Amino acid sequence: METLSTNRSFAGTQGVYSHASAETGTEMTFAVYVPDHEQGAQLPVVWYLSGLTCTHANVMEKGEYRRAASELGLIIVAPDTSPRGEGVADDEAYDMGQGAGFYVDATEEPWAKHFRMRSYIEKELPALIAKEFPVDMERQAIFGHSMGGHGALTIALRNPDRFKSVSAFAPIVSPLNCPWGKKALGGYLGSDQTAWRAYDACALIEDGARFADILVDQGTADNFLEEQLKPQLLVAACDKAGIPLSLNMREGYDHSYYFISTFMADHLQWHAERLGAR
């Protein structure tokens, strides 16, 4: 692991790091915020997954999480959204290729070689974080925005024993039922939609996945609300499965980091309560 930068912030350290990923076959960059803590202490960790076109830097620069994370004693890990670099497949559109990994393990060409974000987030990066940072891996939570909200929900539903809490800002709740999802999952996984169900929160719940409770915040002025996000589908799936879902429809808020930063502390408090943070 290489340290790219560190900065003092809110009684903690914001770092940016890179490493050679065996899963993606590329250099991967990620951000980690570590609050000050007693020598030998291990802190709970919250994973934040970003959305389309984003890198680790978007939430780090605009998410305004450090004050709350410091007060609550939470480590925040923000990975990149896809493999990048020379030789990595890409697409001219913003919603496919680099910056648009959708947290899947691709099986179709030209994506299969590098686009293994599911395994990277679920296996490889956690092992590195556990080795290099003072984290308590028995106390993990995950959240994200848009495409990253999709990633957070699906990863938590597939790994309920690993994560104690999950939340999302304006998530893509059902890629099977929106243009972004149909394009990305069709491209990465092929035309057999049964293979897509492992990457669709509503389908996972329909197929038996369960979680203790879920928090979602969604802006009513979000341009993608009706066509792409469709939170009502998650409401229906959770209601049928008996999963408690707290869906907050935030009047006048859009899809941007102005929205995310407004409710960031609320989400971190939600996770802190379930992680037994200070």
Side-chain angles (χ1 to χ4, degrees), residues 1-5 15-21 26-32 56 120 125 128 132-133:
M1 187 182 77
E2 180 182 357
T3 300
L4 303 181
S5 67
V16 178
Y17 309 90
S18 69
H19 73 117
S21 167
T26 66
E27 283 288 316
M28 294 294 291
T29 302
F30 59 95
V32 181
H56 68 282
Y120 179 70
L125 188 57
L128 180 65
E132 299 288 347
F133 296 93

Side-chain angles (χ1 to χ4, degrees), residues 125-205:
L125 188 57
L128 180 65
I129 296 296
K131 178 182 177 183
E132 299 288 347
F133 296 93
V135 296
D136 179 355
M137 298 300 278
E138 297 299 314
R139 292 190 290 166
Q140 295 188 65
I142 190 166
F143 67 151
H145 170 232
S146 194
M147 177 186 74
H150 139 77
L153 291 171
T154 56
I155 290 170
L157 286 164
R158 290 195 303 263
N159 300 275
D161 294 334
R162 173 182 163 193
F163 295 102
K164 294 189 178 299
S165 55
V166 61
S167 71
F169 300 103
I172 303 169
V173 304
S174 184
L176 280 157
N177 292 290
C178 74
W180 277 341
K182 290 178 180 178
K183 177 179 179 179
L185 297 190
Y188 293 137
L189 303 175
S191 59
D192 181 3
Q193 293 194 8
T194 59
W196 301 11
R197 296 183 70 82
Y199 300 106
D200 182 302
C202 294
L204 282 165
I205 292 170

Side-chain angles (χ1 to χ4, degrees), residues 79-150:
D80 202 349
T81 56
S82 78
R84 301 177 190 271
E86 187 176 350
V88 177
D90 202 7
D91 191 280
E92 291 183 358
Y94 75 95
D95 53 359
M96 194 75 185
Q98 296 185 38
F102 270 82
Y103 305 99
V104 307
D105 281 353
T107 57
E108 300 296 301
E109 298 301 332
W111 313 107
K113 180 178 180 181
H114 298 295
F115 281 71
R116 296 185 51 79
M117 290 302 294
R118 172 181 177 174
S119 291
Y120 179 70
I121 297 296
E122 288 188 355
K123 299 175 183 177
E124 185 178 20
L125 188 57
L128 180 65
I129 296 296
K131 178 182 177 183
E132 299 288 347
F133 296 93
V135 296
D136 179 355
M137 298 300 278
E138 297 299 314
R139 292 190 290 166
Q140 295 188 65
I142 190 166
F143 67 151
H145 170 232
S146 194
M147 177 186 74
H150 139 77

Side-chain angles (χ1 to χ4, degrees), residues 144-147 149-150 153 167-174 180 215-235 245-256 259-260 262-263 266-267:
H145 170 232
S146 194
M147 177 186 74
H150 139 77
L153 291 171
S167 71
F169 300 103
I172 303 169
V173 304
S174 184
W180 277 341
L215 170 65
V216 171
D217 273 78
Q218 172 66 63
T220 63
D222 190 319
N223 291 337
F224 303 112
L225 177 58
E226 299 300 326
E227 183 180 28
Q228 304 282 12
L229 306 179
K230 304 183 179 182
Q232 71 275 9
L233 298 180
L234 184 62
V235 171
L245 169 65
S246 299
L247 173 63
N248 301 313
M249 298 300 297
R250 302 297 189 176
E251 188 66 32
Y253 285 90
D254 59 18
H255 201 69
S256 72
F259 158 61
I260 295 168
T262 301
F263 301 104
D266 293 346
H267 280 243

